[in-house]
Structure formats: C-alpha cells, structure tokens
Amino acid sequence: MKKLYATNLYVALTHYPVLNKNGDVIASAITNLDLHDIARVSKTYGVRSFYVITPLEDQKVLIESIVSHWVNGAGSRYNPKRREALELIKIKTSIAEVKEHIKKKEGNFPKTVVTSAKNNPDNISFDTFRDMLQGDHVYLMIFGTAWGLAEECMTAADYFLDPIWGNSNYNHLSVRSASAIILDRLLGKEK
Amino acid sequence: MKKLYATNLYVALTHYPVLNKNGDVIASAITNLDLHDIARVSKTYGVRSFYVITPLEDQKVLIESIVSHWVNGAGSRYNPKRREALELIKIKTSIAEVKEHIKKKEGNFPKTVVTSAKNNPDNISFDTFRDMLQGDHVYLMIFGTAWGLAEECMTAADYFLDPIWGNSNYNHLSVRSASAIILDRLLGKEK
C-alpha cells in the first residue's frame, strides 16, 4: 500500500482545446465552482496538484484572483479549509506546459489518462488504473470542459479510462460530478 | 437484482433548516449548479425524484424559473439531455411535505437517511445501505446545504450514513461532489 496522503496522481482541467456543441474546437470560459469543487475533491483524495489550463490571459487573471482570494486574501481567514484545497491549483497555458512542470518536479514525464464517453476495447478499467496508481509511475489525468476534449488531446493520451456508467443509459454528468466519482473509484477507501 | 433504471431511492436537497458557519439555523440561498449537477447525477443513477426544499417563496419562484427554462423553454431545445435530468426536480416546502408526497405515490412513508460527518457506531455503512436498497422499502436520502443539516433533521432521520473518506484527513466536499460519490457508491455498476 502507498503511504497515506501520497498518491501518484496529478489532475488537470482543460479549457482549450475543447469542443463546443457543434464539435468545433474552442477555448471555454472558466467556471468558478469547477475550481472549488475539483480542488476540494483533489485534496480529499491526495492528488499532488490540480492544474487549470487556459491559454487566455484574461482567464488566467480571473483564476489567479479567485485563487489568491482564498489562499492569501480574506477567504483564507474566513474558511481555512478552502485555502487548503485551493492551494493545490496551478495555472498553466497548455497540457504540454503541465507535462514539463511535472517532469521538473518528478524527473520523468507523467503518463496521461483521459476519460472517454465510449466503451471501446482500448479503454482501461477503473480497477486497472487503480492498480497502476500503486506502482512507481506518475500519472496526469486530464478532464475537459464544455463538450469534452478535442480529438488531438484524446489521440495524444497514453490511456483512455472507461466511461462512468451509473444505473441507467444516461451518462451526461458535469465535470465536477465526474471528477468526484472517478477519484473516489480510483483512490477511495471503501474498496 | 433490481430492475435496471428502477431504484428505491429518492433524493432531497434541503435549504432549511440548515446551519451557517456559526452553527445558527438559517435558510440558505439556492445554487444553480446544485440543481443541475444533482439532477444529472440522479438521472444517471436512476433516482426516482430529486426534491429541492425551501420554505422561501422567492426562492421557489427562482427554482421554478430555472427548471422551466430547461424542461419547457429554450433550454429544452438547446440541450434535451439537460431536460431529461431537470425533469426529476420537484419543489417542496419542507421535509415533511416531501415525505407526504412520496407516501401518496408509494403507499408508505420513505425511510429517511442523512449523511453525517462523524464516524459513530450508529452509522450505517455504504455496503449496508446498498443492500437495503435491494429490498422493497423506499428511501429518502437528505442532503443539506451551507454548513449542513440542523440538529432537528439529524435526530429525526431513520439512519445516518457513514461519512465519505478519501485518501487523506480532509473531508470538506461540496454537496455536489458528495452526492455524486455517494450515489455512485450506492448504485454504481462497478461494484
């Protein structure tokens, strides 16, 4: 078993390149509650850092102002538990920049894992990824916003993770809900 | 095994009586993304209805306008999958009114289950509740907003569910993330 609080997992939330409803590649706008919810889930499950990716300078400034309110500003005194979570956030321009950043810390590039809405034979199961996380390698799990990651992100990834199926034929979860369920399946104690 | 898409579970999100940061009983304001995220999770896991509880008339009007935009208005044409989820929402004044509503449909009052942040010997485990949901009884799982359900809701409940522990000593999840993880543990296929 790995040491408590130390997982081999990094998480990224990508705002470019993602798809809009028509399948065009766009840069999406950030959603405040994505930052809070995914940071809190990341803290709960021992994720090493939570990268928020956007190439847009005005969006970076907005993320920075939200994070600094909770990490250094009035929010950090109002709710120290929120500070602990939002401290995990790092703002980057691209997935490539995130991979370089992790390489500098860890010595190696992370293996990348994306979520897929399709059941295909190349997907890895939650159990398989759970076992992989017990090894020595470091992984970067990438979530998309809007209508999901652009094709170029999908094909560049090392692994596709199985989609989440609940108890119905409906699988249209928010990225906030999906990331919570996935991290619990991979790292939760009740397994 | 129960029939696919038919669970014995109802879910409620309560805005009164809940606690503020100082432990005072308050009525909290609704959060738009709570409605969307919990409705989508409820649809994914076959929850029968998702009750949103508030005694405040202006808040009921606001919820009604959000739901009707997605169920009958422009939103229903823009995103029919969102309509399918938000159709599960029913607006009620109190937990008592929800229980009466379920009794009218089902013939019996539901057993109520609340989540607790405490590890205490009276809690039921996720596995126990998962097994209970395979029986004939109908259950109402109640989530609180703000700093959690007031004491009177806790003591009136039939069961307390174990808290969520991840992979750390941090358990400060949003109600959106917590409800997603709990429904997956209770009703997800990967078990």
Side-chain angles (χ1 to χ4, degrees), chain B residues 37-96:
Chain B
D37 284 10
I38 302 176
R40 293 162 78 180
V41 167
S42 293
K43 185 72 185 171
T44 302
Y45 291 92
V47 168
R48 293 198 181 183
S49 298
F50 167 33
Y51 292 98
V52 180
I53 299 172
T54 177
L56 302 179
E57 285 307 318
D58 64 337
Q59 292 282 296
K60 286 186 184 176
V61 169
L62 179 55
I63 302 165
E64 184 53 46
S65 76
I66 293 168
V67 171
S68 84
H69 170 77
W70 291 101
V71 171
N72 308 307
S76 67
R77 292 179 292 280
Y78 177 73
N79 190 340
K81 290 291 177 192
R82 199 60 62 92
R83 175 181 54 67
E84 285 182 52
L86 270 73
E87 275 176 349
L88 291 179
I89 293 179
K90 297 190 194 313
I91 306 163
K92 297 290 173 194
T93 300
S94 64
I95 294 171

Side-chain angles (χ1 to χ4, degrees), chain A residues 2-31:
Chain A
K2 298 215 69 66
K3 210 170 54 183
L4 204 62
Y5 316 146
T7 70
N8 288 346
L9 189 62
Y10 289 87
V11 163
L13 181 70
T14 305
H15 298 82
Y16 176 85
V18 294
L19 303 174
N20 72 5
K21 193 175 181 245
N22 301 319
D24 308 319
V25 174
I26 57 157
S28 65
I30 67 150
T31 299

